[in-house]
Short mmCIF file of all heavy atoms in Angstrom, two decimals:
data_model
loop_
_atom_site.label_atom_id
_atom_site.label_comp_id
_atom_site.label_asym_id
_atom_site.label_seq_id
_atom_site.Cartn_x
_atom_site.Cartn_y
_atom_site.Cartn_z
N MET A 242 15.30 -12.33 16.26
CA MET A 242 14.70 -11.56 15.17
C MET A 242 13.45 -10.87 15.73
O MET A 242 12.76 -11.40 16.58
CB MET A 242 14.35 -12.49 14.02
CG MET A 242 13.80 -11.77 12.80
SD MET A 242 13.54 -12.90 11.40
CE MET A 242 14.91 -12.41 10.39
N PHE A 243 13.18 -9.68 15.22
CA PHE A 243 12.07 -8.88 15.71
C PHE A 243 10.92 -8.85 14.69
O PHE A 243 11.12 -9.13 13.51
CB PHE A 243 12.54 -7.44 15.97
CG PHE A 243 13.57 -7.34 17.06
CD1 PHE A 243 14.92 -7.22 16.75
CD2 PHE A 243 13.20 -7.40 18.39
CE1 PHE A 243 15.88 -7.14 17.73
CE2 PHE A 243 14.15 -7.33 19.39
CZ PHE A 243 15.50 -7.20 19.06
N VAL A 244 9.75 -8.49 15.18
CA VAL A 244 8.57 -8.36 14.32
C VAL A 244 8.89 -7.42 13.16
O VAL A 244 8.54 -7.70 12.01
CB VAL A 244 7.35 -7.83 15.13
CG1 VAL A 244 6.22 -7.44 14.22
CG2 VAL A 244 6.90 -8.88 16.15
N LYS A 245 9.58 -6.34 13.44
CA LYS A 245 9.93 -5.37 12.40
C LYS A 245 10.71 -6.04 11.26
O LYS A 245 10.46 -5.77 10.08
CB LYS A 245 10.78 -4.25 13.02
CG LYS A 245 11.32 -3.24 12.04
CD LYS A 245 12.13 -2.20 12.80
CE LYS A 245 13.27 -1.72 11.98
NZ LYS A 245 14.13 -0.76 12.70
N ASP A 246 11.64 -6.93 11.59
CA ASP A 246 12.45 -7.62 10.58
C ASP A 246 11.58 -8.50 9.68
O ASP A 246 11.74 -8.49 8.45
CB ASP A 246 13.53 -8.47 11.24
CG ASP A 246 14.49 -7.65 12.10
OD1 ASP A 246 14.85 -6.53 11.69
OD2 ASP A 246 14.83 -8.12 13.21
N VAL A 247 10.67 -9.24 10.29
CA VAL A 247 9.77 -10.11 9.53
C VAL A 247 8.87 -9.27 8.64
O VAL A 247 8.63 -9.58 7.47
CB VAL A 247 8.94 -11.02 10.45
CG1 VAL A 247 7.93 -11.83 9.67
CG2 VAL A 247 9.86 -11.92 11.27
N TYR A 248 8.33 -8.19 9.22
CA TYR A 248 7.43 -7.30 8.50
C TYR A 248 8.12 -6.71 7.27
O TYR A 248 7.58 -6.73 6.16
CB TYR A 248 6.97 -6.21 9.45
CG TYR A 248 5.83 -5.34 8.97
CD1 TYR A 248 4.65 -5.87 8.49
CD2 TYR A 248 5.93 -3.95 9.06
CE1 TYR A 248 3.60 -5.07 8.07
CE2 TYR A 248 4.87 -3.14 8.66
CZ TYR A 248 3.73 -3.70 8.17
OH TYR A 248 2.69 -2.90 7.78
N LEU A 249 9.34 -6.24 7.45
CA LEU A 249 10.09 -5.65 6.32
C LEU A 249 10.45 -6.71 5.27
O LEU A 249 10.38 -6.45 4.07
CB LEU A 249 11.35 -4.94 6.82
CG LEU A 249 11.09 -3.68 7.63
CD1 LEU A 249 12.39 -3.13 8.21
CD2 LEU A 249 10.39 -2.61 6.80
N ASP A 250 10.81 -7.91 5.72
CA ASP A 250 11.08 -8.99 4.77
C ASP A 250 9.84 -9.33 3.96
O ASP A 250 9.92 -9.55 2.76
CB ASP A 250 11.59 -10.25 5.50
CG ASP A 250 13.05 -10.17 5.89
OD1 ASP A 250 13.76 -9.24 5.41
OD2 ASP A 250 13.50 -11.03 6.68
N CYS A 251 8.70 -9.39 4.63
CA CYS A 251 7.44 -9.67 3.93
C CYS A 251 7.14 -8.58 2.89
O CYS A 251 6.68 -8.88 1.79
CB CYS A 251 6.29 -9.78 4.91
SG CYS A 251 6.30 -11.27 5.90
N LEU A 252 7.38 -7.34 3.26
CA LEU A 252 7.18 -6.25 2.31
C LEU A 252 8.12 -6.40 1.12
O LEU A 252 7.71 -6.26 -0.03
CB LEU A 252 7.39 -4.88 2.96
CG LEU A 252 6.28 -4.39 3.89
CD1 LEU A 252 6.75 -3.14 4.64
CD2 LEU A 252 5.01 -4.10 3.11
N ARG A 253 9.37 -6.70 1.40
CA ARG A 253 10.39 -6.83 0.36
C ARG A 253 10.05 -7.95 -0.60
O ARG A 253 10.20 -7.82 -1.81
CB ARG A 253 11.76 -7.06 1.01
CG ARG A 253 12.91 -7.05 0.05
CD ARG A 253 14.26 -7.15 0.77
NE ARG A 253 14.44 -6.11 1.76
CZ ARG A 253 14.57 -6.31 3.08
NH1 ARG A 253 14.58 -7.55 3.58
NH2 ARG A 253 14.75 -5.30 3.91
N PHE A 254 9.60 -9.10 -0.07
CA PHE A 254 9.32 -10.25 -0.89
C PHE A 254 7.84 -10.41 -1.23
O PHE A 254 7.43 -11.42 -1.81
CB PHE A 254 9.87 -11.52 -0.22
CG PHE A 254 11.34 -11.48 -0.03
CD1 PHE A 254 11.90 -11.37 1.22
CD2 PHE A 254 12.20 -11.49 -1.12
CE1 PHE A 254 13.28 -11.31 1.41
CE2 PHE A 254 13.58 -11.44 -0.96
CZ PHE A 254 14.11 -11.34 0.32
N GLU A 255 7.05 -9.39 -0.86
CA GLU A 255 5.61 -9.34 -1.15
C GLU A 255 4.88 -10.62 -0.71
O GLU A 255 4.16 -11.23 -1.47
CB GLU A 255 5.35 -8.98 -2.60
CG GLU A 255 5.85 -7.60 -2.94
CD GLU A 255 5.31 -7.04 -4.24
OE1 GLU A 255 4.42 -7.66 -4.85
OE2 GLU A 255 5.78 -5.98 -4.64
N ASP A 256 5.10 -10.99 0.56
CA ASP A 256 4.34 -12.07 1.16
C ASP A 256 3.07 -11.44 1.71
O ASP A 256 2.95 -11.09 2.87
CB ASP A 256 5.15 -12.75 2.27
CG ASP A 256 4.44 -13.95 2.85
OD1 ASP A 256 3.22 -14.08 2.68
OD2 ASP A 256 5.12 -14.77 3.49
N SER A 257 2.09 -11.29 0.86
CA SER A 257 0.89 -10.53 1.13
C SER A 257 0.13 -11.00 2.35
O SER A 257 -0.26 -10.21 3.21
CB SER A 257 -0.03 -10.53 -0.10
OG SER A 257 -1.21 -9.83 0.16
N SER A 258 -0.10 -12.29 2.48
CA SER A 258 -0.92 -12.79 3.58
C SER A 258 -0.28 -12.50 4.93
O SER A 258 -0.91 -11.93 5.81
CB SER A 258 -1.15 -14.29 3.42
OG SER A 258 -1.93 -14.54 2.28
N LEU A 259 0.96 -12.94 5.10
CA LEU A 259 1.63 -12.74 6.39
C LEU A 259 1.76 -11.26 6.71
O LEU A 259 1.56 -10.84 7.84
CB LEU A 259 2.98 -13.44 6.42
CG LEU A 259 3.74 -13.33 7.72
CD1 LEU A 259 2.93 -13.84 8.91
CD2 LEU A 259 5.07 -14.08 7.62
N ASP A 260 2.11 -10.46 5.73
CA ASP A 260 2.27 -9.02 5.95
C ASP A 260 0.97 -8.39 6.38
O ASP A 260 0.95 -7.52 7.26
CB ASP A 260 2.81 -8.35 4.71
CG ASP A 260 3.95 -7.39 5.05
OD1 ASP A 260 4.45 -7.44 6.17
OD2 ASP A 260 4.31 -6.61 4.17
N HIS A 261 -0.14 -8.78 5.77
CA HIS A 261 -1.43 -8.22 6.19
C HIS A 261 -1.79 -8.67 7.61
O HIS A 261 -2.38 -7.90 8.38
CB HIS A 261 -2.53 -8.57 5.17
CG HIS A 261 -2.50 -7.70 3.96
ND1 HIS A 261 -1.75 -8.01 2.85
CD2 HIS A 261 -3.10 -6.52 3.70
CE1 HIS A 261 -1.91 -7.06 1.95
NE2 HIS A 261 -2.73 -6.14 2.44
N TYR A 262 -1.46 -9.90 7.96
CA TYR A 262 -1.68 -10.35 9.34
C TYR A 262 -0.87 -9.52 10.32
O TYR A 262 -1.38 -9.06 11.35
CB TYR A 262 -1.35 -11.82 9.50
CG TYR A 262 -2.52 -12.74 9.29
CD1 TYR A 262 -2.69 -13.40 8.06
CD2 TYR A 262 -3.46 -12.95 10.27
CE1 TYR A 262 -3.77 -14.23 7.85
CE2 TYR A 262 -4.55 -13.78 10.07
CZ TYR A 262 -4.70 -14.42 8.85
OH TYR A 262 -5.79 -15.24 8.66
N ILE A 263 0.41 -9.33 10.03
CA ILE A 263 1.24 -8.53 10.92
C ILE A 263 0.72 -7.09 10.99
O ILE A 263 0.63 -6.51 12.06
CB ILE A 263 2.72 -8.56 10.45
CG1 ILE A 263 3.29 -9.97 10.63
CG2 ILE A 263 3.56 -7.54 11.22
CD1 ILE A 263 4.67 -10.17 10.03
N HIS A 264 0.35 -6.53 9.86
CA HIS A 264 -0.20 -5.17 9.80
C HIS A 264 -1.43 -5.07 10.73
O HIS A 264 -1.55 -4.14 11.53
CB HIS A 264 -0.59 -4.80 8.37
CG HIS A 264 -1.23 -3.49 8.22
ND1 HIS A 264 -0.50 -2.31 8.19
CD2 HIS A 264 -2.53 -3.13 8.11
CE1 HIS A 264 -1.35 -1.30 8.06
NE2 HIS A 264 -2.58 -1.78 8.03
N HIS A 265 -2.32 -6.04 10.63
CA HIS A 265 -3.53 -6.07 11.46
C HIS A 265 -3.17 -6.19 12.95
O HIS A 265 -3.70 -5.43 13.78
CB HIS A 265 -4.44 -7.21 11.03
CG HIS A 265 -5.56 -7.47 11.99
ND1 HIS A 265 -6.59 -6.59 12.18
CD2 HIS A 265 -5.79 -8.53 12.82
CE1 HIS A 265 -7.42 -7.09 13.09
NE2 HIS A 265 -6.95 -8.25 13.48
N LEU A 266 -2.29 -7.11 13.29
CA LEU A 266 -1.91 -7.32 14.68
C LEU A 266 -1.23 -6.07 15.26
O LEU A 266 -1.43 -5.74 16.43
CB LEU A 266 -1.01 -8.54 14.84
CG LEU A 266 -1.71 -9.89 14.59
CD1 LEU A 266 -0.68 -11.01 14.52
CD2 LEU A 266 -2.76 -10.16 15.67
N LEU A 267 -0.48 -5.36 14.44
CA LEU A 267 0.11 -4.09 14.88
C LEU A 267 -0.98 -3.05 15.12
O LEU A 267 -0.96 -2.32 16.12
CB LEU A 267 1.12 -3.57 13.84
CG LEU A 267 2.44 -4.31 13.73
CD1 LEU A 267 3.18 -3.90 12.47
CD2 LEU A 267 3.30 -4.08 14.96
N ALA A 268 -1.94 -2.98 14.21
CA ALA A 268 -3.01 -1.99 14.29
C ALA A 268 -3.87 -2.17 15.54
O ALA A 268 -4.31 -1.19 16.14
CB ALA A 268 -3.88 -2.02 13.04
N VAL A 269 -4.12 -3.44 15.92
CA VAL A 269 -4.96 -3.70 17.09
C VAL A 269 -4.10 -3.88 18.34
O VAL A 269 -4.60 -4.28 19.40
CB VAL A 269 -5.90 -4.91 16.88
CG1 VAL A 269 -6.88 -4.64 15.77
CG2 VAL A 269 -5.13 -6.19 16.62
N LYS A 270 -2.84 -3.54 18.24
CA LYS A 270 -1.88 -3.50 19.35
C LYS A 270 -1.70 -4.84 20.05
O LYS A 270 -1.50 -4.91 21.26
CB LYS A 270 -2.28 -2.40 20.34
CG LYS A 270 -2.30 -1.02 19.68
CD LYS A 270 -2.52 0.05 20.69
CE LYS A 270 -2.66 1.43 20.08
NZ LYS A 270 -1.82 1.82 19.05
N LYS A 271 -1.76 -5.92 19.29
CA LYS A 271 -1.47 -7.25 19.82
C LYS A 271 0.03 -7.52 19.82
O LYS A 271 0.52 -8.36 20.58
CB LYS A 271 -2.17 -8.35 19.01
CG LYS A 271 -3.67 -8.26 19.00
CD LYS A 271 -4.24 -8.71 20.33
CE LYS A 271 -5.76 -8.71 20.24
NZ LYS A 271 -6.39 -9.18 21.45
N ILE A 272 0.74 -6.82 18.94
CA ILE A 272 2.21 -6.90 18.87
C ILE A 272 2.77 -5.51 18.60
O ILE A 272 2.03 -4.59 18.24
CB ILE A 272 2.70 -7.87 17.76
CG1 ILE A 272 2.15 -7.45 16.40
CG2 ILE A 272 2.36 -9.30 18.10
CD1 ILE A 272 2.72 -8.27 15.22
N LYS A 273 4.08 -5.38 18.84
CA LYS A 273 4.80 -4.14 18.53
C LYS A 273 5.98 -4.49 17.64
O LYS A 273 6.45 -5.64 17.62
CB LYS A 273 5.30 -3.47 19.80
CG LYS A 273 4.19 -3.02 20.75
CD LYS A 273 4.75 -2.42 22.01
CE LYS A 273 5.44 -3.52 22.77
NZ LYS A 273 5.75 -3.32 24.14
N LEU A 274 6.46 -3.51 16.89
CA LEU A 274 7.57 -3.76 15.95
C LEU A 274 8.84 -4.27 16.67
O LEU A 274 9.60 -5.03 16.09
CB LEU A 274 7.90 -2.49 15.16
CG LEU A 274 6.89 -2.09 14.10
CD1 LEU A 274 7.24 -0.73 13.51
CD2 LEU A 274 6.81 -3.15 13.01
N ASP A 275 9.05 -3.86 17.92
CA ASP A 275 10.25 -4.28 18.61
C ASP A 275 10.07 -5.55 19.44
O ASP A 275 10.97 -5.98 20.17
CB ASP A 275 10.79 -3.15 19.49
CG ASP A 275 9.82 -2.67 20.56
OD1 ASP A 275 8.63 -3.05 20.53
OD2 ASP A 275 10.24 -1.88 21.43
N ASP A 276 8.92 -6.23 19.29
CA ASP A 276 8.70 -7.54 19.93
C ASP A 276 9.49 -8.61 19.20
O ASP A 276 9.76 -8.51 17.99
CB ASP A 276 7.22 -7.95 19.87
CG ASP A 276 6.36 -7.21 20.88
OD1 ASP A 276 6.88 -6.62 21.83
OD2 ASP A 276 5.12 -7.21 20.69
N ASP A 277 9.84 -9.66 19.94
CA ASP A 277 10.43 -10.84 19.33
C ASP A 277 9.41 -11.51 18.45
O ASP A 277 8.19 -11.47 18.76
CB ASP A 277 10.91 -11.81 20.41
CG ASP A 277 11.67 -12.99 19.84
OD1 ASP A 277 12.88 -12.82 19.57
OD2 ASP A 277 11.04 -14.04 19.63
N ILE A 278 9.82 -12.17 17.37
CA ILE A 278 8.88 -12.79 16.44
C ILE A 278 8.04 -13.87 17.11
O ILE A 278 6.98 -14.21 16.63
CB ILE A 278 9.54 -13.34 15.17
CG1 ILE A 278 10.57 -14.41 15.51
CG2 ILE A 278 10.15 -12.23 14.36
CD1 ILE A 278 11.06 -15.18 14.29
N SER A 279 8.49 -14.39 18.24
CA SER A 279 7.72 -15.40 18.94
C SER A 279 6.40 -14.85 19.47
O SER A 279 5.48 -15.61 19.78
CB SER A 279 8.53 -15.98 20.11
OG SER A 279 8.79 -14.97 21.08
N LYS A 280 6.26 -13.53 19.51
CA LYS A 280 5.02 -12.87 19.95
C LYS A 280 3.96 -12.88 18.86
O LYS A 280 2.80 -12.59 19.13
CB LYS A 280 5.29 -11.43 20.36
CG LYS A 280 6.25 -11.27 21.50
CD LYS A 280 5.55 -11.56 22.80
CE LYS A 280 6.51 -11.28 23.95
NZ LYS A 280 5.91 -11.40 25.22
N ILE A 281 4.32 -13.16 17.62
CA ILE A 281 3.35 -13.19 16.52
C ILE A 281 2.47 -14.43 16.70
O ILE A 281 2.94 -15.55 16.59
CB ILE A 281 4.03 -13.21 15.14
CG1 ILE A 281 4.87 -11.96 14.92
CG2 ILE A 281 2.97 -13.35 14.03
CD1 ILE A 281 5.71 -11.99 13.66
N ASP A 282 1.21 -14.19 16.99
CA ASP A 282 0.24 -15.27 17.16
C ASP A 282 -0.94 -14.98 16.25
O ASP A 282 -1.79 -14.15 16.55
CB ASP A 282 -0.22 -15.36 18.63
CG ASP A 282 -1.23 -16.46 18.88
OD1 ASP A 282 -1.58 -17.22 17.92
OD2 ASP A 282 -1.71 -16.57 20.02
N LEU A 283 -0.97 -15.65 15.10
CA LEU A 283 -1.99 -15.37 14.09
C LEU A 283 -3.39 -15.70 14.58
O LEU A 283 -4.37 -15.20 14.04
CB LEU A 283 -1.67 -16.13 12.81
CG LEU A 283 -0.32 -15.80 12.17
CD1 LEU A 283 -0.14 -16.58 10.86
CD2 LEU A 283 -0.16 -14.31 11.93
N GLU A 284 -3.48 -16.52 15.63
CA GLU A 284 -4.80 -16.85 16.19
C GLU A 284 -5.44 -15.66 16.89
O GLU A 284 -6.64 -15.63 17.11
CB GLU A 284 -4.71 -18.05 17.14
CG GLU A 284 -4.37 -19.35 16.42
CD GLU A 284 -5.37 -19.68 15.32
OE1 GLU A 284 -6.60 -19.57 15.55
OE2 GLU A 284 -4.93 -20.04 14.23
N GLN A 285 -4.64 -14.65 17.24
CA GLN A 285 -5.17 -13.44 17.87
C GLN A 285 -5.79 -12.48 16.85
O GLN A 285 -6.45 -11.52 17.22
CB GLN A 285 -4.08 -12.69 18.63
CG GLN A 285 -3.58 -13.42 19.84
CD GLN A 285 -2.60 -12.58 20.61
OE1 GLN A 285 -2.11 -11.55 20.14
NE2 GLN A 285 -2.27 -13.00 21.82
N ALA A 286 -5.59 -12.76 15.58
CA ALA A 286 -6.07 -11.88 14.52
C ALA A 286 -7.55 -12.13 14.22
O ALA A 286 -8.04 -13.24 14.39
CB ALA A 286 -5.25 -12.09 13.25
N ASP A 287 -8.20 -11.09 13.76
CA ASP A 287 -9.57 -11.20 13.23
C ASP A 287 -9.40 -11.62 11.79
O ASP A 287 -9.09 -10.80 10.92
CB ASP A 287 -10.27 -9.86 13.37
CG ASP A 287 -11.67 -9.84 12.79
OD1 ASP A 287 -12.01 -10.70 11.93
OD2 ASP A 287 -12.45 -8.94 13.18
N HIS A 288 -9.59 -12.90 11.50
CA HIS A 288 -9.31 -13.45 10.16
C HIS A 288 -10.17 -12.80 9.09
O HIS A 288 -9.70 -12.60 7.98
CB HIS A 288 -9.47 -14.96 10.17
CG HIS A 288 -8.56 -15.63 11.17
ND1 HIS A 288 -7.19 -15.65 11.05
CD2 HIS A 288 -8.83 -16.27 12.34
CE1 HIS A 288 -6.65 -16.29 12.08
NE2 HIS A 288 -7.64 -16.67 12.88
N GLN A 289 -11.38 -12.47 9.42
CA GLN A 289 -12.26 -11.80 8.44
C GLN A 289 -11.73 -10.41 8.10
O GLN A 289 -11.71 -10.01 6.95
CB GLN A 289 -13.71 -11.69 8.97
CG GLN A 289 -14.67 -11.07 7.99
CD GLN A 289 -14.78 -11.82 6.67
OE1 GLN A 289 -14.76 -13.05 6.64
NE2 GLN A 289 -14.87 -11.10 5.57
N LYS A 290 -11.25 -9.70 9.12
CA LYS A 290 -10.68 -8.35 8.90
C LYS A 290 -9.43 -8.46 8.02
O LYS A 290 -9.26 -7.66 7.09
CB LYS A 290 -10.36 -7.70 10.23
CG LYS A 290 -9.76 -6.33 10.11
CD LYS A 290 -10.73 -5.34 9.51
CE LYS A 290 -10.14 -3.95 9.45
NZ LYS A 290 -10.97 -3.02 8.72
N VAL A 291 -8.58 -9.44 8.29
CA VAL A 291 -7.37 -9.61 7.48
C VAL A 291 -7.74 -9.95 6.03
O VAL A 291 -7.14 -9.41 5.09
CB VAL A 291 -6.45 -10.69 8.08
CG1 VAL A 291 -5.27 -10.97 7.15
CG2 VAL A 291 -5.95 -10.28 9.45
N LYS A 292 -8.75 -10.78 5.85
CA LYS A 292 -9.21 -11.11 4.50
C LYS A 292 -9.64 -9.84 3.76
O LYS A 292 -9.31 -9.64 2.61
CB LYS A 292 -10.37 -12.10 4.58
CG LYS A 292 -10.91 -12.53 3.25
CD LYS A 292 -12.05 -13.53 3.42
CE LYS A 292 -12.64 -13.90 2.07
NZ LYS A 292 -13.74 -14.85 2.21
N GLU A 293 -10.36 -8.96 4.47
CA GLU A 293 -10.78 -7.69 3.86
C GLU A 293 -9.58 -6.81 3.53
O GLU A 293 -9.55 -6.17 2.46
CB GLU A 293 -11.72 -6.94 4.82
CG GLU A 293 -13.06 -7.62 5.00
CD GLU A 293 -13.88 -7.03 6.15
OE1 GLU A 293 -13.52 -5.94 6.67
OE2 GLU A 293 -14.89 -7.66 6.52
N LEU A 294 -8.58 -6.78 4.41
CA LEU A 294 -7.37 -5.98 4.16
C LEU A 294 -6.65 -6.49 2.91
O LEU A 294 -6.15 -5.69 2.11
CB LEU A 294 -6.44 -6.02 5.36
CG LEU A 294 -6.91 -5.38 6.66
CD1 LEU A 294 -5.94 -5.66 7.79
CD2 LEU A 294 -7.12 -3.88 6.46
N VAL A 295 -6.58 -7.81 2.75
CA VAL A 295 -5.95 -8.41 1.57
C VAL A 295 -6.75 -8.05 0.31
O VAL A 295 -6.18 -7.66 -0.71
CB VAL A 295 -5.81 -9.93 1.72
CG1 VAL A 295 -5.36 -10.58 0.41
CG2 VAL A 295 -4.83 -10.27 2.85
N GLN A 296 -8.07 -8.15 0.41
CA GLN A 296 -8.92 -7.89 -0.76
C GLN A 296 -8.80 -6.44 -1.23
O GLN A 296 -8.77 -6.18 -2.44
CB GLN A 296 -10.38 -8.22 -0.45
CG GLN A 296 -10.64 -9.70 -0.40
CD GLN A 296 -12.07 -10.04 0.02
OE1 GLN A 296 -12.77 -9.25 0.62
NE2 GLN A 296 -12.48 -11.25 -0.30
N ILE A 297 -8.74 -5.50 -0.27
CA ILE A 297 -8.61 -4.09 -0.70
C ILE A 297 -7.14 -3.69 -0.91
O ILE A 297 -6.86 -2.59 -1.32
CB ILE A 297 -9.29 -3.12 0.29
CG1 ILE A 297 -8.65 -3.16 1.67
CG2 ILE A 297 -10.78 -3.36 0.35
CD1 ILE A 297 -9.16 -2.09 2.63
N ASN A 298 -6.25 -4.65 -0.60
CA ASN A 298 -4.82 -4.46 -0.81
C ASN A 298 -4.30 -3.22 -0.10
O ASN A 298 -3.68 -2.36 -0.69
CB ASN A 298 -4.52 -4.40 -2.31
CG ASN A 298 -3.04 -4.55 -2.61
OD1 ASN A 298 -2.27 -5.03 -1.77
ND2 ASN A 298 -2.64 -4.12 -3.78
N VAL A 299 -4.59 -3.14 1.19
CA VAL A 299 -4.24 -1.98 1.99
C VAL A 299 -2.74 -1.67 1.96
O VAL A 299 -2.34 -0.52 2.11
CB VAL A 299 -4.77 -2.12 3.45
CG1 VAL A 299 -4.01 -3.16 4.22
CG2 VAL A 299 -4.78 -0.81 4.16
N LEU A 300 -1.91 -2.68 1.73
CA LEU A 300 -0.45 -2.46 1.70
C LEU A 300 0.06 -2.14 0.30
O LEU A 300 1.24 -1.89 0.12
CB LEU A 300 0.27 -3.67 2.28
CG LEU A 300 -0.01 -3.92 3.78
CD1 LEU A 300 0.67 -5.21 4.24
CD2 LEU A 300 0.41 -2.75 4.62
N GLY A 301 -0.81 -2.17 -0.70
CA GLY A 301 -0.43 -1.74 -2.04
C GLY A 301 0.45 -2.69 -2.81
O GLY A 301 1.25 -2.26 -3.65
N PHE A 302 0.32 -4.00 -2.57
CA PHE A 302 1.09 -4.96 -3.37
C PHE A 302 0.62 -4.96 -4.80
O PHE A 302 -0.56 -4.81 -5.07
CB PHE A 302 0.95 -6.37 -2.80
CG PHE A 302 1.66 -6.56 -1.47
CD1 PHE A 302 0.95 -6.90 -0.35
CD2 PHE A 302 3.03 -6.44 -1.38
CE1 PHE A 302 1.60 -7.08 0.87
CE2 PHE A 302 3.68 -6.62 -0.19
CZ PHE A 302 2.96 -6.94 0.96
N GLN A 303 1.57 -5.11 -5.72
CA GLN A 303 1.23 -5.20 -7.13
C GLN A 303 1.47 -6.62 -7.61
O GLN A 303 2.51 -7.19 -7.32
CB GLN A 303 2.07 -4.22 -7.96
CG GLN A 303 1.76 -2.80 -7.64
CD GLN A 303 2.58 -1.85 -8.52
OE1 GLN A 303 3.43 -2.26 -9.25
NE2 GLN A 303 2.32 -0.58 -8.38
N LYS A 304 0.51 -7.15 -8.33
CA LYS A 304 0.67 -8.49 -8.90
C LYS A 304 1.69 -8.42 -10.02
O LYS A 304 1.66 -7.54 -10.85
CB LYS A 304 -0.66 -8.99 -9.44
CG LYS A 304 -1.76 -9.10 -8.44
CD LYS A 304 -1.65 -10.38 -7.65
CE LYS A 304 -2.85 -10.52 -6.75
NZ LYS A 304 -2.62 -11.34 -5.62
N LEU A 305 2.60 -9.39 -10.02
CA LEU A 305 3.57 -9.48 -11.11
C LEU A 305 2.91 -10.22 -12.28
O LEU A 305 2.24 -11.21 -12.10
CB LEU A 305 4.81 -10.24 -10.66
CG LEU A 305 5.62 -9.58 -9.56
CD1 LEU A 305 6.77 -10.49 -9.13
CD2 LEU A 305 6.15 -8.24 -10.01
N ALA A 306 3.14 -9.71 -13.45
CA ALA A 306 2.57 -10.33 -14.65
C ALA A 306 3.28 -11.65 -14.94
O ALA A 306 4.51 -11.76 -14.78
CB ALA A 306 2.72 -9.39 -15.85
N SER A 307 2.53 -12.63 -15.31
CA SER A 307 3.09 -13.92 -15.66
C SER A 307 3.79 -13.83 -17.01
O SER A 307 3.29 -13.19 -17.93
CB SER A 307 1.99 -14.98 -15.72
OG SER A 307 2.51 -16.19 -16.13
N THR A 308 4.92 -14.51 -17.13
CA THR A 308 5.68 -14.49 -18.40
C THR A 308 5.37 -15.71 -19.23
O THR A 308 5.99 -15.94 -20.25
CB THR A 308 7.18 -14.42 -18.13
OG1 THR A 308 7.56 -15.52 -17.32
CG2 THR A 308 7.54 -13.10 -17.44
N HIS A 309 4.41 -16.53 -18.78
CA HIS A 309 4.09 -17.77 -19.53
C HIS A 309 2.88 -17.57 -20.39
O HIS A 309 1.93 -16.98 -20.19
CB HIS A 309 3.84 -18.92 -18.55
CG HIS A 309 5.04 -19.24 -17.73
ND1 HIS A 309 6.12 -19.94 -18.22
CD2 HIS A 309 5.37 -18.93 -16.44
CE1 HIS A 309 7.02 -20.06 -17.27
NE2 HIS A 309 6.58 -19.44 -16.19
#
């Protein structure tokens, strides 16, 4: 499986945290979309930067309304 596959699955299922980590690692060129998923090392990420990306919702995830 490739980074691209995980990234697209995260987008599809709105796994915000992991997707923002992958987005950040791609942006700082720590990984590439055609890398094997074993190359994803979250310890290489700037955790503060990822937190900011999640807070500003750079990927545009929408919260689903609760039905309860």
Side-chain angles (χ1 to χ4, degrees):
M242 185 175 254
F243 297 100
V244 169
K245 175 180 146 183
D246 300 320
V247 175
Y248 191 51
L249 291 174
D250 282 348
C251 288
L252 284 171
R253 187 174 304 117
F254 299 111
E255 295 195 9
D256 185 341
S257 178
S258 295
L259 181 56
D260 226 12
H261 281 89
Y262 268 100
I263 293 172
H264 177 81
H265 169 68
L266 291 170
L267 287 167
V269 296
K270 301 187 184 317
K271 298 285 184 178
I272 58 174
K273 297 178 292 196
L274 289 173
D275 60 349
D276 284 343
D277 186 82
I278 61 169
S279 64
K280 299 282 185 175
I281 298 173
D282 180 2
L283 301 183
E284 291 304 314
Q285 292 185 348
D287 177 339
H288 301 292
Q289 182 59 39
K290 180 65 177 173
V291 174
K292 181 179 177 181
E293 292 169 12
L294 294 173
V295 170
Q296 286 175 340
I297 63 172
N298 194 19
V299 72
L300 296 176
F302 289 118
Q303 295 182 353
K304 300 278 186 204
L305 296 176
S307 176
T308 58
H309 298 284

